[in-house]
């Protein structure tokens, strides 16, 4: 039986429900292709933190309302409608402000110790693409596309997009995508490893939720340690990463979830994990 709890995000620009231990976070500005705003973005930061820390949540699923994932920053706000307070800030204050906003968004998302999935019903551009890249797994609708976009507005990138992109597709393709700002369709995204799977448009949300739920039902601590191991594969030498893997595996052998998994294997049944 499906259970669902609606979470108050403080704004209609961001929706969140917890369904069967999956936190479904939906950017809800379809009229603006779910571009970030001064209302949506703070709410998104809060939801990432809250869901990441909530023991009733086993996985996070990020998506966008309508036919877009996220168009990134508000380009109109970069022109005549710029925030006057920010215009008056000194450059070092602007740098510190952006660094903090990045830390609390893509930084916080990458730090969540639970599986995170981005479902792209349509375009993911600029900082919106960085948001998708900060997730563990990406599913894209057949009609979706991505673009780094920054070069088209004479900017260099933010929210860690160059770091995230390079680690997913390699330095040569990352440079091509950053230098050109070209639109990359879903099929090529899958071919170069930028998304994990492309599905028919009308099946995206169903498939993304099914994948998230399968992970949310899994052994919480083991998934956390798997994520730690995978992150360290990009940071440490082989010997150090291997030693840390050994430490984590030995810890897991004493858990109730491990014992339940072994017994379920013997009994030929599905295990029921308790997160302990």
């Amino acid at each position: 039986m499906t259970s669902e709890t609606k979470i108050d995000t403080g704004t209609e620009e961001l929706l969140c429900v917890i369904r069967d231990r999956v936190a479904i976070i939906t950017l809800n500005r379809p009229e603006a292709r779910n571009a970030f705003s001064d209302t949506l973005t703070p709410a998104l930061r809060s939801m990432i933190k809250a869901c990441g820390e909530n023991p009733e949540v086993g996985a996070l699923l990020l998506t966008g309302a309508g036919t877009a994932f996220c168009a990134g920053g508000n380009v109109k706000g970069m022109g005549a409608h710029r925030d006057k307070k920010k215009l008056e800030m000194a450059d070092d204050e602007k740098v510190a402000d952006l660094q903090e906003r990045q830390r609390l968004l893509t930084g916080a998302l990458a730090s969540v110790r639970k599986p995170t999935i981005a479902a792209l019903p349509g375009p993911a551009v600029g900082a919106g693409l960085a948001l998708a890249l900060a997730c563990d797994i990406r599913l894209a609708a057949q009609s979706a596309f991505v673009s780094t976009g920054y070069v088209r507005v004479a900017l260099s990138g933010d929210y860690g997009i160059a770091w995230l992109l390079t680690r997913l597709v390699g330095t040569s393709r990352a440079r091509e995508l950053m230098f050109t700002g070209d639109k990359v369709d879903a099929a090529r995204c899958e071919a170069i490893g930028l998304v994990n799977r492309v599905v028919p448009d009308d099946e995206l949300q169903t498939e993304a939720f099914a994948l998230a739920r399968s992970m949310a039902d899994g052994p919480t601590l083991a998934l956390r340690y798997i994520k730690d191991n995978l992150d360290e594969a990009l940071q440490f030498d082989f010997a150090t990463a291997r030693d840390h893997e050994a430490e984590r595996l030995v810890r897991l052998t004493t858990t109730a979830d491990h014992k339940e998994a072994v017994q379920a294997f013997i009994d030929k049944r599905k295990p029921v994990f308790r997160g302990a």
Side-chain angles (χ1 to χ4, degrees), residues 121-183:
V125 179
L129 175 57
L131 182 70
L133 299 180
C135 290
D136 296 312
I137 295 173
R138 284 150 298 284
L139 271 63
Q142 287 177 334
S143 63
F145 68 85
V146 308
S147 171
T148 57
Y150 292 98
V151 72
R152 296 183 179 275
V153 288
L155 293 175
S156 55
D158 55 4
Y159 288 92
I161 190 167
W163 190 96
L164 293 163
L165 195 58
T166 297
R167 279 157 178 76
L168 275 176
V169 302
T171 185
S172 179
R173 286 196 173 102
R175 288 166 193 264
E176 175 191 356
L177 297 177
M178 290 298 295
F179 289 159
T180 65
D182 287 346
K183 291 182 179 180

Side-chain angles (χ1 to χ4, degrees), residues 47 56 101-102 195 241-242 258:
M47 280 301 101
E56 300 303 315
R101 286 186 282 121
Q102 292 178 153
V195 302
R242 192 177 63 234
H258 170 65

